[in-house]
Amino acid sequence: SLPAKLINGGIAGLIGVTCVFPIDLAKTRLQNQQNGQRMYTSMSDCLIKTIRSEGYFGMYRGAAVNLTLVTPEKAIKLAANDFFRHHLSKDGKKLTLLREMLAGCGAGTCQVIVTTPMEMLKIQLQDAGRIAAQKKLMAAQAQLSSSSALGAAEPAVETRTTATQITRELLRSKGIAGLYKGLGATLLRDVPFSIVYFPLFANLNKLGQKDPSAKAPFYVSFLSGCVAGSTAAVAVNPCDVIKTRLQSLQRGVNEDTYSGILDCTKKIWQKEGPMAFLKGAYCRALVIAPLFGIAQVVYFIGIAEFLLDMLPKHRA
């Protein structure tokens, strides 16, 4: 049933995000740093420096936004894919690869309604620590090189903003369109991701089904979700780099700004080289693999069906 699908998708998203959010934060910071302004050399370096400067919970900056909006996002994504697969199947027959890809395309298009503002707010909060650390480093270097170090002012303390403050400011200055900055880049990432992910998962999951009418074992669904998710994540990583750069409202010292997808692509290619489009790819694979592995296990086990079945008994 639709309510069960929505609940399953929501539970899957909450569990998955909680487990992998620190890696996602590292991915955002690695993707946003530009040549000459590098604060982090790797995922582990980023996480260690984040803990040292911002504490353990610094790794979860922006998690509240994700945990709030990931329920409708994952629910829409998984339920929409099922909806399109059902309506594209002919008399319950097996879907062709093209129809599976079309179902994934429909799911990816539907989810951006929630994904775009969620990613927009999350990126501002995730990247704030990197920009603050960069400014402190620049201030410290300037202070050391100054001949009049005595009496020099202390580096400014970072003023933390919340998702609510960012939302209010965007709505006040740009209206609802402010929350949907980078919509085109989000579509460019999520639609191809779903086109790759859902058919690949469905076909891998079928390998573990002894009977076409029976569900695959939970470990098969988990591994299928991991493999399909990491494959799709790496495949669309260049689009994710562009989306992250476009959605970042604050820039570090001497970092480029971009007017659109083509301008962003051109500047990254010319100034940072083609390998810059793979920044954070392994982080993204590490995020997406368990995220979708967990999501598919929860979704296919059907926790919601159990909960919904228990409600009438409880009331009785």
Side-chain angles (χ1 to χ4, degrees), residues 82-95:
D82 272 5
F83 173 83
F84 287 115
R85 287 179 70 90
H86 174 73
H87 285 277
L88 286 169
S89 64
K90 294 181 178 179
D91 301 323
K93 293 181 180 178
K94 180 181 177 181
L95 285 173

Side-chain angles (χ1 to χ4, degrees), residues 39-303:
M39 291 291 301
Y40 316 107
T41 57
S42 64
M43 179 186 73
S44 58
D45 181 57
C46 178
L47 293 177
I48 290 168
K49 287 179 178 176
T50 298
I51 293 172
R52 285 176 180 171
S53 61
E54 304 169 54
Y56 174 79
F57 290 104
M59 294 190 299
Y60 281 88
R61 292 184 71 169
V65 175
N66 240 32
L67 290 171
T68 301
L69 296 179
V70 75
T71 298
E73 189 232 17
K74 286 289 177 288
I76 290 171
K77 187 186 190 83
L78 296 173
N81 180 66
D82 272 5
F83 173 83
F84 287 115
R85 287 179 70 90
H86 174 73
H87 285 277
L88 286 169
S89 64
K90 294 181 178 179
D91 301 323
K93 293 181 180 178
K94 180 181 177 181
L95 285 173
T96 62
L97 180 60
L98 178 60
R99 287 177 180 268
E100 287 183 329
M101 293 172 71
L102 285 173
C105 178
T109 304
C110 290
Q111 79 169 83
V112 297
I113 298 169
V114 177
T115 303
T116 305
M118 179 183 76
E119 292 275 313
M120 178 73 179
L121 295 171
K122 183 193 72 172
I123 285 170
Q124 313 317 314
L125 297 170
Q126 285 183 328
D127 204 38
R130 180 188 71 90
I131 294 171
Q134 188 188 84
K135 288 179 179 178
K136 286 179 182 178
L137 180 62
M138 296 289 286
Q141 289 173 347
Q143 189 175 358
L144 286 172
S145 62
S146 174
S147 57
S148 57
L150 289 175
E154 290 291 326
V157 178
E158 178 194 358
T159 303
R160 294 204 176 194
T161 55
T162 65
T164 304
Q165 290 172 326
I166 296 170
T167 302
R168 285 175 180 170
E169 178 59 27
L170 285 171
L171 290 174
R172 184 190 63 79
S173 60
K174 299 181 181 179
I176 193 69
L179 290 172
Y180 280 86
K181 183 181 180 183
L183 174 62
T186 306
L187 280 167
L188 197 63
R189 181 197 68 173
D190 288 349
V191 171
F193 177 92
S194 295
I195 288 174
V196 173
Y197 172 78
F198 283 111
L200 183 56
F201 169 78
N203 285 284
L204 288 174
N205 198 53
K206 283 176 185 174
L207 296 177
Q209 291 178 291
K210 295 180 179 179
D211 189 318
S213 61
K215 289 182 180 179
F218 79 93
Y219 63 87
V220 173
S221 292
F222 176 76
L223 291 174
S224 298
C226 288
V227 172
S230 57
T231 302
V234 173
V236 302
N237 195 75
C239 301
D240 189 55
V241 172
I242 294 167
K243 183 199 73 66
T244 300
R245 295 281 181 95
L246 289 175
Q247 288 189 319
S248 297
L249 299 176
Q250 300 294 323
R251 301 288 177 188
V253 181
N254 300 323
E255 289 185 344
D256 286 325
T257 56
Y258 311 103
S259 60
I261 295 173
L262 292 178
D263 179 56
C264 182
T265 305
K266 182 180 177 182
K267 286 180 177 176
I268 293 174
W269 184 278
Q270 290 177 343
K271 297 184 179 182
E272 301 174 58
M275 291 303 294
F277 291 104
L278 293 178
K279 282 184 176 181
Y282 66 97
C283 292
R284 184 163 163 74
L286 288 174
V287 168
I288 296 297
L291 183 62
F292 277 84
I294 293 167
Q296 292 294 0
V297 168
V298 173
Y299 197 65
F300 278 86
I301 285 177
I303 291 176

Side-chain angles (χ1 to χ4, degrees), residues 6-25:
L6 296 178
I7 294 170
N8 278 331
I11 294 171
L14 288 172
I15 296 171
V17 166
T18 303
C19 293
V20 302
F21 193 83
I23 304 173
D24 186 62
L25 179 135

